[in-house]
Amino acid sequence: MKKIIIAVDGFAATGKSTVAKKIAAALHYIYIDTGAMYRAVTYYVQKQNSTEDIDVAQLIDSLPNVNIHFENGEHGQQIFLNGINVTNEIRESKVNNVVSKIASVEAVRNFLVAQQRSMGKERGIIMDGRDIGTVVFPEAECKFFLTASPEIRAERRHKEQLEKGNLESFEAVLENIIARDHQDSTRSINPLRKADDAIEIEVSTLTIDEVYRLMMDKIQSIV
Ligand code: DC
């Protein structure tokens, strides 16, 4: 079977990572959640700065000190920042509220995109994010772009957060999703955009299994 690169882009909380993980398991592919990498950099910056204000010049200087790696553990894929497991910490609302801002810094994007490209050198990889099909792997053989209304996405994210014991209101989750959509799609560097050759899937009325089936049918027609 041919090993390819699969790019999964789209808006926050469309189920990209759930379905990408399922596809990776079925194909024995490597799965990379690039959003987690932007979140890890954000968490690093927040640890370095006691104030809410982010010093972008200082952030750029400190990037060589940021070491990110993934490991597959008992509880799924774990992300490590300078050797420390930050898988849970990077999902907290403190990170949610600032990550889009950090992801709009050109030096941060260049730093992470270079690492993402090197992870895909051997192919046999499925990567999810916002710019995978447009910037990281414009040559990917298979590209998907997932969309759904902000309300549907906020409902899913809110439910997930409640299950984790995070008591943020639905309104706060929706507000964060709308703000991130805006920032991610209007930033000047590598904005969230569907690649011309990506297959768009509107997931609002579909189950994860239905999205998975649609994507696998397409992938299996290529590999
Ligand atoms: O997928 P996520 O919600 O965990 O992503 C967190 C943030 O990182 C999101 O607001 C946009 C940004 N991001 C990005 O700019 N480029 C990527 N390839 C992945 C995520």
Side-chain angles (χ1 to χ4, degrees):
M1 213 164 66
K2 185 164 87 178
K3 279 203 180 282
I4 62 166
I5 295 180
I6 306 166
V8 186
D9 291 304
F11 291 97
T14 42
K16 295 189 298 295
S17 63
T18 309
V19 78
K21 274 183 214 159
K22 226 170 126 84
I23 292 171
L27 297 174
H28 304 290
Y29 269 30
I30 292 170
Y31 162 66
I32 298 292
D33 172 0
T34 62
M37 299 172 79
Y38 288 92
R39 288 171 178 274
V41 172
T42 305
Y43 181 74
Y44 177 84
V45 175
Q46 290 179 324
K47 281 271 163 204
Q48 300 297 305
N49 291 269
S50 46
T51 66
E52 291 294 304
D53 288 334
I54 287 157
D55 181 339
V56 173
Q58 191 193 334
L59 156 64
I60 295 171
D61 280 351
S62 66
L63 284 175
N65 306 325
V66 178
N67 190 299
I68 295 169
H69 80 272
F70 291 95
E71 279 179 26
N72 286 324
E74 201 185 315
H75 301 290
Q77 193 173 65
Q78 307 287 303
I79 183 162
F80 290 77
L81 169 66
N82 294 336
I84 295 167
N85 188 334
V86 292
T87 311
N88 295 330
E89 289 78 356
I90 62 163
R91 303 283 159 199
E92 286 173 5
S93 51
K94 194 170 172 220
V95 172
N96 286 344
N97 294 337
V98 183
V99 63
S100 285
K101 190 171 167 192
I102 301 295
S104 66
V105 177
E106 187 173 14
V108 171
R109 303 205 70 82
N110 292 341
F111 175 72
L112 294 181
V113 167
Q115 296 180 26
Q116 291 154 7
R117 286 191 180 138
S118 91
M119 290 169 179
K121 273 209 294 263
E122 311 284 319
R123 313 186 88 72
I125 192 165
I126 177 162
M127 204 173 260
D128 87 53
R130 303 291 189 288
D131 59 345
I132 311 306
T134 51
V135 175
V136 182
F137 296 121
E139 77 284 15
E141 290 88 345
C142 197
K143 301 180 186 177
F144 298 99
F145 191 84
L146 272 46
T147 63
S149 74
E151 288 73 17
I152 297 252
R153 292 183 284 127
E155 242 169 62
R156 294 169 55 136
R157 189 49 57 89
H158 184 233
K159 197 164 154 248
E160 254 169 47
Q161 302 273 42
L162 283 182
E163 280 161 11
K164 286 187 195 153
N166 181 339
L167 300 180
E168 228 178 352
S169 68
F170 170 78
E171 288 71 24
V173 175
L174 178 61
E175 200 180 310
N176 175 257
I177 285 204
I178 292 173
R180 282 208 287 146
D181 282 356
H182 179 73
Q183 188 141 11
D184 293 343
S185 27
T186 56
R187 67 172 173 241
S188 55
I189 307 127
N190 310 352
L192 169 64
R193 176 176 79 71
K194 177 184 144 345
D196 294 338
D197 51 349
I199 298 163
E200 183 165 341
I201 306 178
E202 221 287 290
V203 303
S204 300
T205 59
L206 302 175
T207 63
I208 287 290
D209 281 341
E210 287 167 334
V211 179
Y212 169 79
R213 221 32 284 162
L214 278 173
M215 290 170 72
M216 278 301 265
D217 285 348
K218 177 66 196 170
I219 293 164
Q220 277 160 346
S221 73
I222 296 175
V223 295

